[in-house]
Amino acid sequence: MSQVHTLHRGPRRYSLNDSTATSAPAMVVVTNWVSRIIAAGGASPSANTILTMTVFATGLYDKGIAAKMININCMVPDNITAAITPLIATQGSGSTGVSNTWSNSGFAGTDLSVAGLKGNGSNYLKTGVSPSSVINNNIGLSLYNTFNVSDSRNDFASPATQLIVNYGPGSVYWSCYTDVITGTPFSDNIGFVTGNRTDSTHSYLYKARSDTALTQIAGPGSTPGTSTTYDLWLFCLNNNGSPYGQSNKRFSFAGIHNGLTATEAGILFTLVQAMRTSLGGGYS
């Protein structure tokens, strides 16, 4: 008979069976995440969402990339507070001693669906993570866009570090410490994109979705410039403390992490794809 582990969360409990292959570190991550959602005034996510997040976090640990995750938001569909509360936060909003959620400017429950969180050209989120606080020459950003729009507005950006799904339009744009590389997006702009700088001379851009294995679309980049102290904002550029170029896209995943190799980026995509599939939407 398989053992049953119980995830304690105040007066209610959710059981996670061994058959889901969850890990103790992942359960700690998810318990903390649920506690931060409730502390921020949100309702607890559903049992399926909690289990899905635990399996996702377990994958990050089992595949050896959990330590590279800095601030990861899975945009869960349960409620707006849960959707803006990062699952993993070692820096910035959500981390110890900092606010429980990403700072919300303008998003409401009507902007959230099982497909992700939808920008309207004016709303945005502040992550509290400055690229300069991440190890220099070792940073990456990842986004999963689920809305076909050809705007070239800013998606995930601070003055010197930016990931834009469709820039121009006609290219995926990755600027890491002002070293810019661009690649060809999916024709409908829907899918997973990730930009990663792994050292002082290597910066790569990848894309993936269900019909396309992780593919390098730009790189290796060149010597970067200097980062800034302004934190990364989602759905716009943090233009020295003011929002600029707010996006109309819809994101089902947004992550700040250390630079990932191609193998690690492929692992992250596979885990995100499985996580969103389990949630019932927000993938292609």
Side-chain angles (χ1 to χ4, degrees):
M1 181 180 297
S2 64
Q3 296 179 339
V4 174
H5 300 294
T6 300
L7 187 64
H8 295 277
R9 198 184 41 74
R12 298 178 64 188
R13 297 179 179 181
Y14 291 104
S15 295
L16 302 177
N17 192 280
D18 282 344
S19 63
T20 60
T22 56
S23 70
M27 292 178 72
V28 171
V29 165
V30 176
T31 299
N32 177 271
W33 174 67
V34 173
S35 297
R36 286 187 280 113
I37 292 169
I38 295 171
S44 173
S46 70
N48 179 66
T49 295
I50 291 174
L51 181 57
T52 297
M53 293 301 103
T54 308
V55 173
F56 172 67
T58 294
L60 295 174
Y61 281 100
D62 285 353
K63 298 298 183 179
I65 63 172
K68 292 195 169 188
M69 302 297 110
I70 294 168
N71 203 298
I72 303 298
N73 198 322
C74 298
M75 307 292 179
V76 298
D78 300 72
N79 59 74
I80 189 63
T81 303
I84 65 172
T85 301
L87 176 66
I88 295 175
T90 62
Q91 294 182 30
S93 298
S95 60
T96 302
V98 187
S99 61
N100 290 300
T101 70
W102 286 1
S103 179
N104 180 10
S105 181
F107 283 100
T110 53
D111 300 312
L112 179 66
S113 71
V114 72
L117 190 61
K118 176 72 170 61
N120 62 12
S122 63
N123 46 18
Y124 59 96
L125 299 170
K126 301 178 182 180
T127 70
V129 178
S130 167
S132 64
S133 67
V134 181
I135 298 174
N136 199 27
N137 298 326
N138 187 13
I139 188 172
L141 301 180
S142 295
L143 287 172
Y144 208 131
N145 177 47
T146 65
F147 187 72
N148 183 5
V149 59
S150 61
D151 74 40
S152 58
R153 300 181 183 183
N154 293 286
D155 295 328
F156 205 178
S158 69
T161 302
Q162 306 172 21
L163 180 62
I164 302 174
V165 171
N166 188 24
Y167 180 81
S171 62
V172 183
Y173 179 97
W174 168 232
S175 170
C176 182
Y177 306 145
T178 68
D179 171 40
V180 176
I181 57 175
T182 61
T184 303
F186 289 110
S187 60
D188 58 6
N189 304 305
I190 294 174
F192 177 86
V193 294
T194 179
N196 295 275
R197 174 166 290 283
T198 54
D199 59 41
S200 62
T201 57
H202 294 86
S203 182
Y204 294 95
L205 187 57
Y206 307 92
K207 67 180 181 182
R209 63 184 187 185
S210 60
D211 60 3
T212 305
L214 189 87
T215 302
Q216 179 185 320
I217 56 174
S222 59
T223 303
T226 303
S227 181
T228 69
T229 58
Y230 291 99
D231 61 317
L232 287 154
W233 292 1
L234 184 65
F235 292 96
C236 75
L237 164 68
N238 176 359
N239 187 30
N240 300 324
S242 298
Y244 177 80
Q246 288 95 315
S247 175
N248 290 297
K249 299 183 184 73
R250 181 175 58 211
F251 299 125
S252 61
F253 178 83
I256 305 167
H257 43 76
N258 289 131
L260 303 177
T261 65
T263 297
E264 292 168 335
I267 289 169
L268 180 60
F269 164 69
T270 298
L271 294 173
V272 170
Q273 189 81 347
M275 177 265 292
R276 292 306 314 189
T277 300
S278 179
L279 290 176
Y283 64 95
S284 174

